[in-house]
Each structure stands twice: as C-alpha cells, then as structure tokens.
C-alpha cells in the first residue's frame, strides 16, 4: 500500500522512485515475491487553514487496489471522523476542521484496507502520524507583567534594574515564529533594554529622586527576530527611584524669635525649629544640638522622631528679674552619611535662636522652703517662736501680708503677725495633748490677692515636768481574815503601778511611799520595787471582818522630774472570809439603812399623798381640755337627721316644726296637708322657682310616686328623688352656690355676710360663716 502525499513528499525523491520501480517489478515477479505492506511515513498539514473546502491531507492506496472499488479504506485513531475523514473508495484523507498547532501538534491515526464484499482485511493495520505545521499566528506575551522595580537614585549608567521575559506560543523549532527580540517603546533616554535578554538598565547618570521619582517604561517583544511582519506584545514596568543620602539639611530661617513665660515649668516646650532635608526615611533623620550661645544651661533641644523637628524645652527655672533674654546657636545634622556623596556636603546647617523671657506676676517666695521650730510647752501666750519672711520676686516688689492656713491649725494654737511674719502662740500648749503641729504659713501680695505663696512650718512641743504621776485606775483589793504577816495584800493585781504623762529625757522613774498620815500604819506597809511598781504588805495577821472590814491606805507617788511632782492615791482593802485554800467565801457589805427619824409607814403615807396629787392634776387638765373643744351641733340640729329639704333650713332656734323623717316610715302618720308656721315671705318667694306639677293627696306613697315620675320625665333635672332638695342652692338658684368646692378663693378670702340678708332660715349658716368679726371679738 502506498501513501500518496499531495501536499508534501515524506521521505526523499529517490526513495519514492525506488518504490515506484519496486511496484513494476512486483507485477513481473508476482509468482516469487511476497505482497507489500503499508508504507510508513508522515503527513504534514499547515495550521489555521481558513478555506471553505476540506483541506486535502494525503491519499491511502493499497497494491491490491485495482481501481474497481472492491477495496474499502477505513481510518481510525485521533480525530478520525471528527477532525479527519477518508474516502473509503479512493483513500483520500481531508481535514474537515481548522487545526491549531498550539492546541495539538500531531495526531496518530490507523489505516486499513478491507474487502468491500466480505469486510476481510486485505492488508495488516498500520499507524501513521499527521503533524501540524506551524505558522506565525501568536504574538509574544509577558505573562508576569506589569512589572514593578526600583533603583537607587544617582546610580551609574548600566545599572541593572529588572529582567522582563515574553513567551511565544509558536513552534520555536520551526522558522523564526518564536524568536523574540525586546525593545523600549517608552522610557528613553532614562532606561535601556537588552534586545535578547530583556534586562532593563539605567541609561542616564545623576537621576535625581527629588526631581522625578516615578517612571513608567513600556517594553515591546517582537517575534520573527524583529523583522517586518512579526507579531509584537508590550508590557509596563513601573520603576521607582529609591532615596540615597545626597541632600544636606538646610534651615529655611537663619534666625528664629521665640518667647517663654518665666513661670514655665521645667521640660515645658518653648518652640520648634526645622532643618529641611529633601531626602526621606532614614536619610532624612536629623540630630539637633546647641553648639553656642548664652543659654545652654537654661534650655535643651531634642529631636521629634516623627516629624524630625528640633523641640526647644526649658531645662532650668527661668527668672525674668535675673535675665530677660537668651541667644542659642542650634545645629541640625544628618547622622547617616554616604561617603560617595560627601562632595555634596557639608551635611549640617546652623541657625540662631533668640528667646525672650516674659514677666509674670509670681506669688511671694519664702526665704526658706521649710521651717522647723522647737518650743517648750510652758511658753507664755503671745511668745514669738519664729519669724517667717517672704518677698515678691517680681520687679514691682509688692508688700506681703502673712496668715495661717486654718486647715492646718484647727485648734487656733498659733497666730502670725500680718506684716512682720512673727509666729506667736495664741493658746497654752500642752505636749501631752498635741506634741507636734504642722502649720502652713501663707504670704499674699497686697495688690493681687490671687498670688499666694506658702511654706510648711513644723513645730515640736518640748516637754516640761507639769504632770504628777497618778494611778492608772481605782485601786481595790481583797484579803482574807487569816492573812499572815508579810503576805501580799493586793492579791488580784499583785502590784501597784502609776503612770506619768510627761516624757523626761532621762526616762520615767516613779517612787512610792505611804502618805505621811499613814506612815505609822500598824496594819500595812509599802515596799518600793524600784521598777515603777510597789507592793502592799500586811504587818500582822488575824484580821477580823467583824472588827473592821475595809481599810484605806493613802499612797504618795512622786516622779523624778525637775521640779519633782507628786500625788496621793488611795488603795482600798476589803477583808473577806476565806476557806482553807485561801478562796474568798464572802465579804462584808454595808447595808442600806433608812434615817432613824423616818419610819417605813411614814414613807408609804408620803408616796400615797403624791399619787393623789397627781390624779387631781390630771383631772384638772382634762376638764380644761374639754372646755377648749370646738362647738358641736346638738342632736336636734344635726343636719343628717332633721334637714331633709333646703327650703326647711334657716329657722335656727325658731324652726320647731322641722320635717320628721319618721313620718315616711308609715303612711298612716303622714300629714301632708299640715301647714308650716315658720314659712316666711322670702322663702315663699324662692319657692316659685320650684315646679309644682303634682298635687299631694293624703297618701304619702302616691306623693312619692308622683315626685319620682316628675323626676324621671324632667330631662334637665339631676337624678334625685325630689327636685325640691337642692333647688335653693347652686348656679341656677336665686341663692347661687354655697359650696366652696369650685371656688377659686379660700375661706379666709370669701365673704359670707350676705347670708344675714336671707332671713331666719339661713341664720345658722350666717352665724357659722358670715359673723367672723363678732366671733373674733368674743
């Protein structure tokens, strides 16, 4: 079988001729030669075919094919039927789709010749390859772009910055389709690029970051070796010039003027100076120092690391009266310098700073920052113990007035002279009461009370021997009747001790002895233990409780001060009955006796008289309280029981025929037709305002039903059983309202004198509300 290639020869021409000769020879020697097998070769097809007809690839032909159509060709493998087709009669192979070498460079196919009638293989199956031949259809691409790079400013020409790389998808082994050359499109004359390697380098000297810091460079990659017709791609390279130390610092001003208050505290800021440096980062770091002037000892300068400014601060307290201005010479320098740029220096600069001190009104200042005074506690009142002195530090030198901060001397023990500052005692001092005094003396300017200075004064009160020793508590002890001679009488306390509130320098020492009046006491004696204690001893034994149950021993107590002070204390010894072990059984107690002249019966009689007097006093007080009680309405005048209708009110004492509520309890007792004798013309005139639509009969029950019907049918009437109840009172009545619930005035403001003109029926109200003056006079 032959592979007929119409679009290229696979193998050499001599090989093809030899195969043709072999074919003719085979026809002659069929009887002695074997059948030929497949001819192995490759097909080549150009990619990106854009024609309308299928692209002819090659032809399969079997030696056994006589051209009569009995041989059928079959194509299998990669792309068979989809990418490639074969004419099963002629063996022609065509590409039916557009081929792209960058997607797939070759296809492996298998071909076979079959007998068309029996499908029996006429030839063994064999493989062949269809290779896609490359054309220049892909431009170079920068897969890593855009690029970012930096290079130090002032770098020499040719300094390498970055390498860019472009790739071409075409076949690098075929032609120049993948041969890429680089060129610079934008960025000249500052930078250059190597056409083969893509390395970008500096092309100019003295590239200054302070003049231009950022550059945008465009690099082009072109295939076909850069020849005309080649495809090209571009990328952007952003190049930044990094800073180097090539700029010295410079002060924008050669002279600064600043002011500061003399009251400014130490470490407070006076002002700031700045040496301009065009560099950045570590190259812009600055160091400021004071190199000359008359104020280095009063001021200091430091560097603010954030803004690289020099901060001038107060180093020592300032005094306008001592020095009013200072001159400083300040240097700003770079601590980091590159030697190769030393010719651009010097990398330092100086400026002059003039600082003026402004005067402020300062408080008075004491000559000493603290006073310590020792004074004896027996000093006389008014004694000067210390003189404090303060002055106004200002040039005006105002006069000063002194006083004591009373919060520091709440007991008012001291006084200071307002003009001289003499500190004196104002009260007796007692070391035993207050041993130390901590005062605060104030000094105030005469012309400005807000300016006040202060100084602490510590006063120590020195001790004098002004307190005699005394017993710490009341001394009392017990002893048994059978106490032996020489036995300690003070059995519970064991010792006698005293205290002395003084504090002598040589220490406390208290001496004990019996008082002169008890020096020859036959029963007890005293032993001084020389340790500020003493023992009381019995001189004899056999004390009898019946003879004498209590003994009083006066003891003289003296101190060792100058002068010697002493006092007398008494020890009470009570004789008790004890058992054999010495435990107290009982002690005599002085019984309470009444005076001989007053008997028990007389005492009871006195108490009974006192009780009777108390009862009489309480009875009298109760009667007086009842007299002072307010007027109470009698039962017959009780409005709750007798006053049923307001037209029955006003008679007072003359109203003797008031309506009896009991008549309503029984209809047989009702006498409606009974006439009222106390009806006065003025009341009758008021009755004309009451609608009388119902005539009363002898039946009270019918009368009540009539009134109820009248109330139910009258839409303007209030819901009362009788319309006559409140018709003489209220806003719509002639009498108007008598209530104070909606009144805007109090009882004290409202006058009810008009009630006296309403007749006897309102006499009671007139007396209660309208006759205040007469009641007041009574």
């Amino acid at each position: 079988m032959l592979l007929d290639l119409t679009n290229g020869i696979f193998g050499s021409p001599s090989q093809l001729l030899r195969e043709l000769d072999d074919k003719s020879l085979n026809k002659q020697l069929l009887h002695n030669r074997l059948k030929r097998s497949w001819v192995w070769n490759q097909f080549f097809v150009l990619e990106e075919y854009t024609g309308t007809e299928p692209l002819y690839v090659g032809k399969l032909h079997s030696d056994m094919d006589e051209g009569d159509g009995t041989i059928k060709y079959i194509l299998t493998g990669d792309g068979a039927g989809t990418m490639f087709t074969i004419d099963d009669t002629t063996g022609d192979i065509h590409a039916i789709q557009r081929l792209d070498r960058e997607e797939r460079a070759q296809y492996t196919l298998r071909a076979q010749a079959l007998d068309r009638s029996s499908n029996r293989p006429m030839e063994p199956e064999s493989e062949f390859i269809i290779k896609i031949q490359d054309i220049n259809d892909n431009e170079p691409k920068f897969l890593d772009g855009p690029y970012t790079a930096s290079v130090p400013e002032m770098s020499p020409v040719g300094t390498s910055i970055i390498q860019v790389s472009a790739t071409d998808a075409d076949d690098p082994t075929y032609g120049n389709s993948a041969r890429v050359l680089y060129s610079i499109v934008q960025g000249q004359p500052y930078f250059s690029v190597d056409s083969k390697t893509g390395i970008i380098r500096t092309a100019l000297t003295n590239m200054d970051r302070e003049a231009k810091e950022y550059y945008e460079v465009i690099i082009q990659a072109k295939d076909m070796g850069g020849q005309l017709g080649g495809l090209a791609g571009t990328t952007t390279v952003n190049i930044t010039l990094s800073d180097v130390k090539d700029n010295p610092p410079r002060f924008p001003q050669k002279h600064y003027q600043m002011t500061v208050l003399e009251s400014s505290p130490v470490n407070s800021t006076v002002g700031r100076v700045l040496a301009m440096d065009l560099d950045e980062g570590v190259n812009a770091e600055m160091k400021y120092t004071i190199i000359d002037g008359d104020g280095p000892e009063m001021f200091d300068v430091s560097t603010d690391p954030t803004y690289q400014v020099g901060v001038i601060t107060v180093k020592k307290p300032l005094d306008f009266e001592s020095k009013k201005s200072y001159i400083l010479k300040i240097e700003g320098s770079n601590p980091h310098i590159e030697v190769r740029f030393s010719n651009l220096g010097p990398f330092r600069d100086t400026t002059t700073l003039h600082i003026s001190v402004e005067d402020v009104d300062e408080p008075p200042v004491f000559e000493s920052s603290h006073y310590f005074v020792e004074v004896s506690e027996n000093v006389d009142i008014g004694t000067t113990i210390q003189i404090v002195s303060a002055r106004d530090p200002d040039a005006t030198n105002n006069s000063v007035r002194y006083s004591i901060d009373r919060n520091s001397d709440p007991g008012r023990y001291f006084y200071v002279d307002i003009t001289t500052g003499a500190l004196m005692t104002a009260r007796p001092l007692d070391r035993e009461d207050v041993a130390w005094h901590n005062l605060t003396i104030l000094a105030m300017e005469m012309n400005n009370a807000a300016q006040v200075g202060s100084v602490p004064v510590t006063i120590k009160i020195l001790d004098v021997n002004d307190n005699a020793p005394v017993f710490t508590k009341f001394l009392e002890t017990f002893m048994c009747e059978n106490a032996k001679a020489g036995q300690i009488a003070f059995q519970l306390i064991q010792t006698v001790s005293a205290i002395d509130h003084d504090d002598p320098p040589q220490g406390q020492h208290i001496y004990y002895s019996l008082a002169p009046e008890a020096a020859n006491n036959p029963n007890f004696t005293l032993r001084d233990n020389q340790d500020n204690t003493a023992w009381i001893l019995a001189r004899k034994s056999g004390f009898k409780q019946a003879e004498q149950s209590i003994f009083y021993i006066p003891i003289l107590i003296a101190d060792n001060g100058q002068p010697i002070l002493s006092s007398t204390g008494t020890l009470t010894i009570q004789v008790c009955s004890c058992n054999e072990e010495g435990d107290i059984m009982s002690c005599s107690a002085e019984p309470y006796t009444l005076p001989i002249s007053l008997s028990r019966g007389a005492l009871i009689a006195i108490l009974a008289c006192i009780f009777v007097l108390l009862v009489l006093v309480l009875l009298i007080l109760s009667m007086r309280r009842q007299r002072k009680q307010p007027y109470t309405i009698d039962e017959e005048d009780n409005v709750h029981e007798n006053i049923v209708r307001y037209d029955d009110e006003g008679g007072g004492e003359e109203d003797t025929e008031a309506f009896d509520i009991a008549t309503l309890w029984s209809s047989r007792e009702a006498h409606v037709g009974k006439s009222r004798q106390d009806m006065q013309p003025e009341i009758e005139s008021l009755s004309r305002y009451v609608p009388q639509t119902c005539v009363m009969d002898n039946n009270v029950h019918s009368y009540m039903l009539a009134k109820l019907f009248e109330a139910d049918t009258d839409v303007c009437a209030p819901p009362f059983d009788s319309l006559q109840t409140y018709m003489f009172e209220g806003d719509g009545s002639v009498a108007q309202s008598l209530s104070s619930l909606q009144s805007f005035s109090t009882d004290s403001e409202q006058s009810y004198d008009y009630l006296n003109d309403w007749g006897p029926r309102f006499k009671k109200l007139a007396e209660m509300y309208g006759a205040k003056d007469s009641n007041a006079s009574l």
Side-chain angles (χ1 to χ4, degrees):
M1 182 180 289
L2 295 178
L3 296 176
D4 186 8
L5 305 180
T6 61
N7 60 343
I9 300 299
F10 298 90
S12 62
S14 58
Q15 181 181 0
L16 181 57
L17 293 175
R18 286 196 302 270
E19 291 179 349
L20 294 174
D21 293 338
D22 291 339
K23 182 178 180 181
S24 60
L25 183 61
N26 287 337
K27 291 181 178 181
Q28 298 175 2
L29 302 175
L30 289 174
H31 61 282
N32 58 1
R33 295 195 58 183
L34 295 175
K35 180 178 59 176
R36 282 188 64 97
S37 62
W38 294 94
V39 177
W40 178 257
N41 218 322
Q42 293 180 340
F43 292 94
F44 284 88
V45 181
L46 288 177
E47 65 172 335
E48 304 294 344
Y49 172 72
T50 59
T52 58
E53 297 295 333
L55 178 63
Y56 181 76
V57 177
K59 185 181 182 63
L60 296 179
H61 184 73
S62 174
D63 293 344
M64 300 179 67
D65 187 0
E66 298 295 337
D68 54 1
T70 59
I71 301 297
K72 180 175 68 173
Y73 298 96
I74 296 176
L75 187 64
T76 60
D78 296 338
T82 57
M83 301 294 295
F84 305 98
T85 60
I86 187 172
D87 189 325
D88 60 354
T89 302
T90 63
D92 294 334
I93 301 174
H94 292 82
I96 59 176
Q97 290 192 17
R98 184 178 179 180
L99 302 175
D100 188 356
R101 190 201 66 84
E102 285 71 38
E103 293 181 3
R104 186 162 186 173
Q106 66 181 21
Y107 296 86
T108 301
L109 298 171
R110 293 183 297 277
Q112 188 165 14
L114 302 176
D115 184 87
R116 187 176 295 273
S117 59
S118 63
N119 281 332
R120 182 175 58 85
M122 304 298 293
E123 298 281 350
E125 186 182 56
S126 182
E127 287 185 351
F128 64 95
I129 296 174
I130 299 178
K131 286 191 174 183
I132 310 303
Q133 189 175 2
D134 183 51
I135 63 174
N136 189 22
D137 60 343
N138 292 278
E139 73 277 4
K141 294 182 180 180
F142 293 90
L143 302 180
D144 298 329
Y147 297 86
T148 301
S150 65
V151 61
E153 63 174 333
M154 312 300 288
S155 296
V157 175
T159 301
S160 177
I161 301 174
I162 192 175
Q163 183 178 13
V164 297
S165 177
T167 59
D168 195 320
D170 293 325
D171 189 359
T173 63
Y174 180 76
N176 294 326
S177 297
R179 182 186 174 193
V180 178
L181 294 181
Y182 301 93
S183 61
I184 185 167
V185 177
Q186 177 181 311
Q188 295 175 336
Y190 305 103
F191 304 96
S192 63
V193 61
D194 189 292
S195 61
K196 295 181 179 180
T197 62
I199 297 176
I200 301 175
R201 294 183 172 87
T202 57
L204 287 180
T205 59
N206 301 328
M207 296 179 64
D208 191 1
R209 183 196 66 84
E210 289 71 33
K212 186 175 182 180
E213 184 175 2
Y214 301 102
Y215 295 86
E216 185 179 76
V217 180
I218 298 178
I219 303 297
Q220 182 188 70
K222 192 173 183 181
D223 58 13
M224 298 298 292
Q227 297 179 5
L228 186 63
L231 302 178
T234 60
T235 188
T236 301
V237 182
N238 297 308
I239 300 176
T240 303
L241 297 183
S242 59
D243 186 61
V244 298
K245 185 65 232 169
D246 60 338
N247 291 280
R250 292 293 181 264
F251 283 101
Q253 297 176 228
K254 290 301 180 182
H255 181 80
Y256 288 87
Q257 181 73 32
M258 297 181 183
T259 58
V260 60
L261 297 176
E262 64 171 332
S263 60
S264 298
V266 175
N267 296 327
S268 61
T269 300
V270 179
R272 292 172 173 81
V273 295
L274 174 62
M276 304 295 294
D277 192 332
L278 298 178
D279 296 320
E280 64 180 6
V282 68
N283 296 318
E285 290 183 2
M286 199 70 59
K287 179 181 179 182
Y288 297 91
T289 54
I290 300 176
I291 60 176
D292 199 4
D294 58 356
E297 72 282 355
M298 304 301 296
F299 299 94
D300 198 3
V301 62
S302 60
T303 303
D304 184 347
T306 303
Y307 302 102
Q308 299 300 320
V309 297
V311 182
I312 312 299
T313 56
V314 178
K315 189 176 182 180
K316 291 183 179 180
L318 303 174
D319 187 8
F320 173 81
E321 289 72 27
S322 300
K323 190 173 178 59
K324 298 179 176 59
S325 64
Y326 297 88
I327 296 178
L328 302 176
K329 188 174 183 180
I330 300 177
E331 179 186 79
S333 60
N334 294 125
H336 306 287
I337 300 176
E338 294 189 27
V339 178
R340 63 192 181 101
F341 299 113
S342 58
N343 59 318
L344 302 177
F347 288 89
R348 60 174 52 87
D349 195 16
T350 59
T351 188
T352 302
L353 176 61
H354 184 272
I355 301 177
S356 299
V357 180
E358 293 185 354
D359 186 28
V360 295
D361 191 3
E362 300 175 276
V365 178
F366 285 89
E367 293 180 352
S368 176
S369 60
H370 180 264
Y371 291 93
F372 178 77
V373 182
E374 292 182 340
V375 59
S376 178
E377 64 177 326
N378 62 351
V379 67
D380 295 334
I381 296 176
T383 302
T384 300
I385 61 175
Q386 179 68 43
I387 296 178
V388 297
S389 179
R391 65 176 183 84
D392 183 7
D394 299 319
T396 56
N397 194 18
N398 294 322
S399 58
V400 176
R401 294 294 180 264
Y402 301 93
S403 63
I404 297 178
D405 184 356
R406 286 307 172 187
N407 292 326
S408 64
D409 185 25
R412 304 295 180 95
Y413 287 97
F414 301 95
Y415 168 78
V416 63
D417 188 90
I418 192 173
T419 57
T420 63
L423 182 61
M424 297 172 286
T425 58
R427 287 180 54 189
L429 303 179
D430 188 0
R431 187 202 66 85
E432 289 72 35
D433 185 15
V434 181
W436 293 84
H437 295 269
N438 296 306
L439 306 181
T440 299
I441 305 298
L442 306 177
M444 181 184 68
E445 290 186 15
M446 280 287 294
N447 298 335
N448 189 356
Q451 297 298 330
V452 179
S454 63
V455 66
V457 179
T458 302
I459 302 175
K460 180 182 180 182
I461 309 301
L462 300 178
D463 183 56
V464 297
N465 191 30
D466 58 348
N467 291 277
V470 295
F471 283 133
T472 57
K473 59 182 178 179
F474 175 75
L475 296 182
E476 182 180 10
T477 188
F478 305 88
M479 66 175 298
C480 296
E481 287 182 316
N482 57 354
K484 298 179 180 180
Q487 182 179 353
I488 299 175
F490 196 65
Q491 295 179 5
L492 299 179
I493 302 177
Q494 296 295 327
T495 59
V496 174
S497 61
I499 59 171
D500 192 340
H501 293 288
D502 294 321
D503 187 17
Q506 63 274 16
Q508 291 278 5
H509 190 79
I510 300 177
Y511 301 94
Y512 301 89
S513 63
L514 293 178
E517 63 272 19
N520 297 322
N521 191 308
N523 299 315
F524 301 97
T525 185
L526 182 144
R527 178 187 297 174
D528 192 341
N529 296 326
Q530 301 299 316
D531 59 355
N532 295 336
T533 64
W535 286 353
I536 303 298
L537 304 176
R539 287 181 178 269
K540 65 176 184 178
S541 60
F543 289 92
K544 299 299 184 180
Q545 181 178 357
E547 296 177 357
Q548 185 175 355
S549 60
I550 298 176
F551 294 89
Y552 300 98
I553 309 300
I555 302 174
L556 181 65
I557 314 167
D559 60 16
N560 60 333
Q562 295 297 328
I564 297 176
L565 298 180
S566 63
S567 66
T568 301
T570 301
L571 172 64
T572 301
I573 303 176
Q574 188 170 355
V575 180
C576 301
S577 299
C578 303
N579 56 19
E580 295 180 356
E581 288 78 14
D583 298 330
I584 296 175
M585 301 296 293
S586 65
C587 298
S588 62
E590 183 178 359
Y592 175 78
T593 59
L594 295 173
I596 298 175
S597 59
L598 187 62
S599 63
R600 192 179 301 274
L603 180 61
I604 294 174
I606 293 173
L607 294 176
C609 292
I610 294 173
F611 176 78
V612 171
L613 291 175
L614 289 175
V615 171
L616 291 175
V617 170
L618 292 175
L619 182 59
I620 293 171
L621 293 176
S622 176
M623 294 177 65
R624 289 184 177 180
R625 183 176 301 173
Q626 290 181 358
R627 291 180 181 179
K628 295 181 181 180
Q629 288 182 353
Y631 173 78
T632 304
I633 300 175
D634 294 336
E635 181 179 358
E636 63 180 4
D637 295 331
N638 192 334
V639 297
H640 296 89
E641 290 290 332
N642 300 314
I643 299 177
V644 178
R645 303 189 324 180
Y646 279 156
D647 58 349
D648 294 334
E649 181 183 355
E653 291 80 6
E654 299 177 3
D655 189 2
T656 59
E657 296 182 10
F659 187 81
D660 188 7
I661 194 68
T663 58
L664 296 179
W665 297 346
S666 176
S667 61
R668 294 172 297 179
E669 298 179 2
H671 301 283
V672 181
K674 184 179 180 181
S675 61
R676 296 294 302 269
Q677 297 179 2
D678 58 341
M679 179 67 71
Q680 299 298 327
E682 60 268 23
I683 300 303
E684 292 177 352
S685 64
L686 292 175
S687 65
R688 69 177 180 268
Y689 293 94
V690 180
Q692 302 292 332
T693 60
C694 184
V695 178
M696 294 181 292
D697 52 16
N698 295 329
N699 193 333
V700 176
H701 181 69
S702 300
Y703 171 78
M704 298 300 294
L705 291 177
K707 289 297 181 181
L708 179 61
F709 175 79
E710 180 183 350
D712 293 337
T713 56
D714 188 357
V715 295
C716 299
F720 299 125
D721 291 340
S722 176
L723 293 178
Q724 298 178 2
T725 304
Y726 296 103
M727 287 306 295
F728 294 123
E729 179 185 350
D731 293 339
S733 68
V734 177
Q736 300 297 318
S737 176
L738 299 181
S739 173
S740 61
L741 294 178
Q742 298 180 352
S743 176
F744 294 96
S745 62
T746 61
D747 291 341
S748 60
E749 299 173 348
Q750 181 68 35
S751 175
Y752 296 95
D753 294 337
Y754 60 87
L755 295 176
N756 295 317
D757 302 330
W758 284 17
R761 292 185 178 276
F762 294 89
K763 182 178 180 181
K764 181 67 66 176
L765 292 176
E767 289 178 354
M768 296 176 62
Y769 295 95
K772 294 184 178 180
D773 294 337
S774 61
N775 294 337
S777 63
L778 294 176

